[in-house]
Amino acid sequence: MTEIVLGVGASHSTLMNTHWDQTLHKDRAERFRDALHQARDALAEARPDTVVLVGSNHFRGFWLDLIPSFTLGVGECLASGESGTPKGPQPVDVPLARHLADTLVDGGRFDVAFSARLQIDHGQSHAIQYLLDGLGAEIVPLVVNVFAPPLPTLDRCEQLGRAIREAVLAFPGDRRVAVVGSGGLSHRLPWPDWRAPDGEDEEFMVGAWLNGRNNWQDYDQRRREIIRAAEAAITPAFDEEFLALLERGEAHRLTAYTSEQLEEAAGNGAQELRTWLLMASVLDHVPGRRLAYEPMPEWLTGMGVAVLDPADTARA
């Protein structure tokens, strides 16, 4: 019998790898890193065979020549390896991934895109590095478009999570499945709306997103310079409210936001909370447990970690 054994939501930042020595709030950074280790220990205790890894992509695996709302990796999965994150082939649970794709389509609810050779970036490989290291679990990667509007609605992400839950539980094999949502919390990236770039930097970014499929590395240095020059825009009050909803099993209330309202409340980077929402939906919104929340201006992001454990609910 296949069962869903754990959910984890975790922020990501490549600046953990590249600028740790320049981090001023070391106490906050260490608490966040320790929380990642706690979440990794919780995953190890849950003993998943497979992790459904829900994440964003920062225009290193997807470009403006083709941006699906949702893409399942059903074959090879290659990590781009930027900024010290894992690089190269990642182990995919192909039977479960293809079962999900087939079931979602056959059920008439979601025509998800699929890739037999999916390239992921730190939107998922950061979680592989810090949460899945040494577990020996395979992954089913699911990429959500959170950066190239029009974005899938938050309600649509909630619905997809419920459909994935049903499909996982109907899998005829014997799997222990965990789900990880990677991204968020509040932050603002110096990224334009691709439909209306304003100024030289924004035009450069849109050009990189459009033309970088075969040479994204050529654009990377200036991309990172633009990001490093940005001022932090973190909204701790929003982050605290969202984490409180997650702890109460009410993350579905995030669906009250439109994409525009979410950006206004917590920045364009908060669009990544679709990955947490989707994860929580697969876990049927069992009450969560916050492991850390640290506003990290050096990393431009409100950094959070939480665990959703169905066993906690059963014990309660």
Side-chain angles (χ1 to χ4, degrees), residues 10-13 28 32 183-188 232-236 238-240 243 266 269-270 272-273 276 292-305:
S11 304
H12 58 240
S13 173
R28 301 181 191 179
F32 174 75
L185 301 174
S186 69
H187 61 295
R188 180 171 295 281
I234 303 170
T235 315
F238 174 91
D239 295 339
E240 293 283 358
L243 290 170
E272 289 183 317
L273 284 174
W276 288 58
Y293 172 68
E294 302 294 340
M296 290 295 300
E298 303 96 314
W299 300 348
L300 306 178
T301 304
M303 307 294 291
V305 185

Side-chain angles (χ1 to χ4, degrees), residues 5 8-9 20 25 58 67 100 106 111 120 122 135 162-163 176 236 251-252 258 268 290 293-294 313 316:
V5 296
V8 175
W20 183 270
H25 296 89
H58 305 76
I67 300 280
L100 292 183
D106 289 344
D111 300 317
I120 61 174
H122 73 267
L135 295 186
R162 294 193 178 279
R176 295 176 62 84
H252 56 84
T258 66
N268 57 359
R290 173 168 52 174
Y293 172 68
E294 302 294 340
T313 303

Side-chain angles (χ1 to χ4, degrees), residues 202-282:
E202 291 194 358
E203 290 175 358
F204 168 82
M205 290 294 242
V206 173
W209 300 343
L210 182 61
N211 301 313
R213 179 171 293 278
N214 297 314
N215 60 333
W216 64 264
Q217 296 94 335
D218 295 346
Y219 298 93
D220 221 39
Q221 180 176 346
R222 185 171 172 189
R223 275 177 44 136
R224 293 195 66 81
E225 290 172 355
I226 293 171
I227 292 171
R228 289 295 296 158
E231 294 185 6
I234 303 170
T235 315
F238 174 91
D239 295 339
E240 293 283 358
E241 180 181 355
F242 173 74
L243 290 170
L245 289 175
L246 196 77
E247 289 177 305
R248 297 198 300 267
E250 298 178 358
H252 56 84
R253 294 186 181 275
L254 195 67
T255 60
Y257 285 87
T258 66
S259 294
E260 294 75 17
Q261 290 169 337
L262 183 58
E263 179 170 347
E264 183 177 353
N268 57 359
Q271 306 291 3
E272 289 183 317
L273 284 174
R274 285 165 170 77
T275 69
W276 288 58
L277 174 63
L278 210 155
M279 174 276 296
S281 182
V282 178

Side-chain angles (χ1 to χ4, degrees), residues 7 9 48 82 125 131 139 148 150 166 178 202 208 227 229 253 310:
E82 82 281 7
S125 58
L131 296 176
I139 64 171
E166 294 175 10
E202 291 194 358
I227 292 171
R253 294 186 181 275

Side-chain angles (χ1 to χ4, degrees), residues 26-64:
K26 276 283 174 53
D27 54 340
R28 301 181 191 179
E30 289 170 354
R31 286 194 295 267
F32 174 75
R33 184 180 58 187
D34 290 346
L36 288 178
H37 293 161
Q38 293 175 48
R40 189 263 174 206
D41 291 344
L43 282 162
E45 186 175 348
R47 297 179 291 106
D49 304 298
T50 304
V51 175
V52 178
L53 182 51
V54 189
S56 57
N57 193 280
H58 305 76
F59 298 101
R60 292 187 180 91
F62 290 81
W63 290 267
L64 289 176

